[in-house]
Amino acid sequence: CKCPHCDNPNLVPTTLIHEQIQEDIVIQPQTQVTHYRHGISFCSSCRRNVYDTAPGELRNCQIGPQTNVVATYLRQKLKLSLRDTRFLFKEIFKMDFVPASALRFNQRIATASQELHQELRKKVQSSEIIHGDETSWRVDGESAYLWYAGTPDFSFFHINPSRAGSVAVSIFGSPFPGSFVGDDYAGYNAIDPLHRQSCLAHLIRKARDLASLLAPLPKTSEIRRAIEFCEKIQSLLKSACHLAKQRDLGEITFTQAKAKIPCFLRKIDSLCAQPFAPPLHDIETFRQRLCDPKKDYLQLFTFLEINRMPPTNNHAEQSLRQPVLHRKISFGHRSLESAQDFSTNLSIISTLHQQKIDPIPVLHSILINGIHHPHSKIFQESG
């Protein structure tokens, strides 16, 4: 009727057509109620009445499997609290239950998935290249740890009150027959991997932090040498990471990349040849860490000896990012059993996402039929 810009009412019709495609959701709150009627038989052996479970029925449960699965999935992926999960189902689906039921949903799926969780542990122990890391957790207000082990194809999570090497052995095995990528935490020494790669990103960050601490100090010759040492270490390790990127992109061959190892080690030897005076204790500790064969020296460039091995532990840190956000929102768990149920469900859902499989129908199948149906899908080898 009038121009939306200048309010001019004298508009002249044209033959032009404006098209717009708009997507929106359709919310149809609906709760499906199924009344199961079972024929009962008498067992003369154990002298009790028995009945069979119908297809799609969750035995002895008033709330069906789809609600169990979706509520668990939302809690794991969207980090909803138990009360928020209940609120969402009540408002959107008109399905009302108490928060304790939402907790029971998580427990039920974790119990059904327990065997699959153990299969993931076995897959960790038989992998050629594995990433590992751990982060702090809270169980009933006490310190605990969330351990991670995995590859781009699957994930294994485990919550334990301890950070000891014995926990790492229970996850990776000892000796671990493959190649391990992780930080310098001494607990991983217990798994005794065939090959080990120190995370170069951690070392680059450490060198940068040390240089920033030295920057405000009076520029004596020793301080300038220490800053130069940190900068050269950063540059050397970054160039090694860039070499790995070129190898993975096919710009250079694996053999060409591997041939650079002696050159990198000579540069490390040269940079770390002269110790630093006692006032620069942190710099000296870092120098010794780099040149000591019992620490990082023999683990700096392992990634160039093994094809497809990354120079950093970025994969493990990114895999722990979502659980860490969950911990900051929920402050952990009230019991170790609940925490371990969380780690089991997290392992299965994360693996399904990595395999590009919709988790909801697979979790539904696990809950109703056991693990055998989705087993082959979850453990399919990547192309």
Side-chain angles (χ1 to χ4, degrees):
C1 296
K2 63 179 180 179
C3 177
H5 304 290
C6 64
D7 291 335
N8 175 25
N10 301 317
L11 299 182
V12 180
T14 71
T15 59
L16 300 177
I17 299 295
H18 171 74
E19 293 186 5
Q20 175 176 318
I21 297 176
Q22 179 172 279
E23 297 183 26
D24 205 349
I25 63 172
V26 177
I27 299 179
Q28 296 178 330
Q30 181 181 3
T31 299
Q32 179 179 347
V33 180
T34 304
H35 183 193
Y36 294 97
R37 293 174 59 86
H38 299 280
I40 296 178
S41 298
F42 178 75
C43 177
S44 59
S45 176
C46 60
R47 305 190 63 79
R48 67 178 67 183
N49 292 328
V50 295
Y51 65 91
D52 199 5
T53 303
E57 178 187 5
L58 199 55
R59 194 177 179 94
N60 297 324
C61 294
Q62 292 181 312
I63 298 178
Q66 193 72 359
T67 300
N68 281 250
V69 168
V70 174
T72 300
Y73 179 77
L74 292 175
R75 176 161 170 75
Q76 295 284 151
K77 294 303 294 182
L78 301 186
K79 300 171 281 295
L80 297 182
S81 67
L82 298 175
R83 288 181 173 81
D84 286 342
T85 303
R86 180 224 178 170
F87 176 80
L88 185 147
F89 273 81
K90 182 179 179 181
E91 294 296 317
I92 302 299
F93 301 106
K94 309 306 179 186
M95 166 71 81
D96 195 11
F97 48 78
V98 297
S101 295
L103 177 62
R104 179 58 182 149
F105 300 159
N106 289 265
Q107 294 172 341
R108 187 174 289 121
I109 292 178
T111 300
S113 305
Q114 194 59 236
E115 186 177 343
L116 198 55
H117 190 240
Q118 295 308 314
E119 288 293 330
L120 286 172
R121 187 195 299 266
K122 293 178 183 178
K123 194 164 179 65
V124 167
Q125 297 174 1
S126 61
S127 296
E128 293 182 4
I129 300 175
I130 199 76
H131 295 256
D133 204 356
E134 76 292 328
T135 187
S136 60
W137 206 260
R138 304 292 287 177
V139 175
D140 198 22
E142 301 294 331
S143 295
Y145 298 91
L146 174 65
W147 293 75
Y148 170 80
T151 71
D153 295 325
F154 70 91
S155 295
F156 177 86
F157 293 91
H158 173 68
I159 293 179
N160 196 289
S162 173
R163 199 188 178 203
S166 57
V167 182
V169 171
S170 71
I171 296 172
F172 298 93
S174 181
F176 176 63
S179 302
F180 175 77
V181 184
D183 55 26
D184 64 331
Y185 173 50
Y188 293 117
N189 295 338
I191 70 175
D192 190 22
L194 182 63
H195 303 286
R196 182 168 176 176
Q197 172 62 47
S198 296
C199 178
L200 296 193
H202 281 79
L203 297 175
I204 292 171
R205 193 180 307 122
K206 180 69 174 179
R208 184 182 65 239
D209 292 344
L210 289 173
S212 64
L213 289 175
L214 295 173
L217 300 179
K219 297 300 184 292
T220 63
S221 59
E222 190 71 359
I223 295 293
R224 284 195 296 269
R225 186 171 74 89
I227 293 176
E228 184 180 3
F229 167 77
C230 292
E231 291 175 346
K232 288 184 176 180
I233 290 294
Q234 290 182 69
S235 177
L236 177 63
L237 298 183
K238 285 180 180 179
S239 64
C241 292
H242 180 67
L243 189 68
K245 184 177 180 180
Q246 289 180 305
R247 177 199 64 189
D248 296 339
L249 291 175
E251 296 176 0
I252 60 173
T253 65
F254 167 68
T255 304
Q256 288 174 321
K258 186 176 180 179
K260 294 287 187 180
I261 295 177
C263 177
F264 283 127
L265 289 176
R266 284 195 297 270
K267 290 181 179 179
I268 289 290
D269 292 338
S270 175
L271 290 173
C272 298
Q274 185 177 353
F276 290 91
L280 298 175
H281 176 72
D282 291 341
I283 301 292
E284 175 60 17
T285 301
F286 183 56
R287 184 196 71 84
Q288 292 179 9
R289 172 181 171 182
L290 292 174
C291 64
D292 189 347
K294 295 182 179 180
K295 295 183 179 179
D296 284 323
Y297 182 74
L298 298 179
Q299 304 169 8
L300 291 174
F301 308 110
T302 308
F303 69 96
L304 295 177
E305 298 178 8
I306 301 172
N307 205 11
R308 297 178 292 107
M309 191 177 196
T312 71
N313 201 25
N314 183 62
H315 168 77
E317 294 189 346
Q318 290 297 319
S319 298
L320 286 171
R321 184 173 180 272
Q322 289 298 322
V324 166
L325 293 176
H326 192 289
R327 183 202 68 205
K328 291 182 177 181
I329 294 172
S330 65
F331 300 102
H333 294 84
R334 294 301 302 272
S335 70
L336 182 59
E337 292 77 11
S338 177
Q340 291 174 341
D341 288 343
F342 170 83
S343 62
T344 297
N345 292 334
L346 180 62
S347 300
I348 306 304
I349 292 174
S350 297
T351 298
L352 288 168
H353 275 296
Q354 288 171 273
Q355 298 284 347
K356 295 181 172 55
I357 301 173
D358 186 357
I360 291 180
V362 176
L363 292 177
H364 186 278
S365 178
I366 291 174
L367 196 57
I368 296 297
N369 305 314
I371 69 165
H372 304 291
H373 173 65
H375 184 279
S376 59
K377 290 185 178 180
I378 292 180
F379 293 117
Q380 67 184 6
E381 296 297 333
S382 61

